[in-house]
Amino acid sequence: MAKPTENPNYKVIAENRRARRDYAIESDIECGILLMGSEVKSLRTGQSNIAESYAAVENGELWLVNAYIAPYEQAMFGHEDRRRRKLLVSRKELSDLWNATQRKGMTLVPLVMYFNHKGIAKIKLGLGRGKKQHDKRETEARRDWNRRKRRLLKEHG
C-alpha cells in the first residue's frame, strides 16, 4: 500500500481501532464500495465512522451494514447516513467469504476505509474470530512485555 507521503491521492478516511483488539484477524481483503455522489463528497471531507459497522454476505452479495457517512450539506440529492452499502468483490472471494462466515463461524470486520492511489474509495475487511476476555488480556500482556523488553535492551545495549 502507498504511504501518504508517496502519493497525494492516498488518504485514510476512517479506521476501526478496536477491531484488532476485539477480533483475532486471520486475513484481510480489499473491497470497492458502491457510493452515491454526495457520499463521496462527504468522505472527502473526512466525515465517517466504521467503528460500529460490520459486513455480511446476503443473497449472493456482500453488504456493509451500519457504517456512518455524514450527510453532505451542499448536495442537491442527499443520502441516508447509515444505509446499507454494497461492497464489490470477485465471485471467488465472495464464495470464500460466505464459506468462512457460514461454515466456520467467522466475522467480517471493517478495518480501514481509504482513498487508494487512484482516488477511489476502498474498504479493507478483516476476516476474524471474536476474542474472549482472557485472550484480550493475554494480547495486552504480550505487548507490554515486548515494550519492556525493548526498553531494557535499549538501556543495556
Side-chain angles (χ1 to χ4, degrees), residues 8-114:
N9 290 332
Y10 180 83
K11 179 185 174 190
V12 173
I13 304 164
E15 192 173 4
N16 189 353
R17 294 171 187 235
R18 290 193 58 123
R20 295 204 186 269
R21 181 181 182 274
D22 294 340
Y23 296 92
I25 306 294
E26 293 182 8
S27 65
D28 56 12
I29 183 170
E30 182 182 67
C31 306
I33 316 168
L34 207 60
L35 297 171
M36 296 173 64
S38 61
E39 291 173 325
V40 176
K41 288 282 200 177
S42 184
L43 288 177
R44 293 244 180 247
T45 62
Q47 301 175 10
S48 65
N49 186 2
I50 58 170
E52 303 94 32
S53 62
Y54 63 95
V57 179
E58 296 172 7
N59 300 328
E61 296 177 334
L62 185 61
W63 295 92
L64 180 64
V65 182
N66 204 28
Y68 175 78
I69 298 177
Y72 188 64
E73 298 300 321
Q74 290 87 11
M76 286 179 90
F77 306 104
H79 64 274
E80 192 179 321
D81 55 358
R82 289 201 182 269
R83 76 177 180 90
R84 295 162 48 97
R85 294 167 179 91
K86 189 173 179 181
L87 298 177
L88 308 171
V89 291
S90 70
R91 282 197 185 127
K92 180 174 183 343
E93 290 172 332
L94 184 65
S95 69
D96 292 344
L97 293 175
W98 186 87
N99 285 333
T101 55
Q102 298 299 316
R103 295 186 180 152
K104 298 177 187 171
M106 300 181 89
T107 308
L108 290 169
V109 185
L111 300 175
V112 63
M113 186 185 293
Y114 58 94

Side-chain angles (χ1 to χ4, degrees), residues 133-148:
Q133 189 64 37
H134 62 85
D135 293 332
K136 293 178 190 177
R137 283 193 208 110
E138 181 183 315
T139 304
E140 197 171 319
R142 192 177 315 116
R143 191 174 341 134
D144 287 345
W145 166 243
N146 286 336
R147 195 176 300 136
R148 237 182 283 135

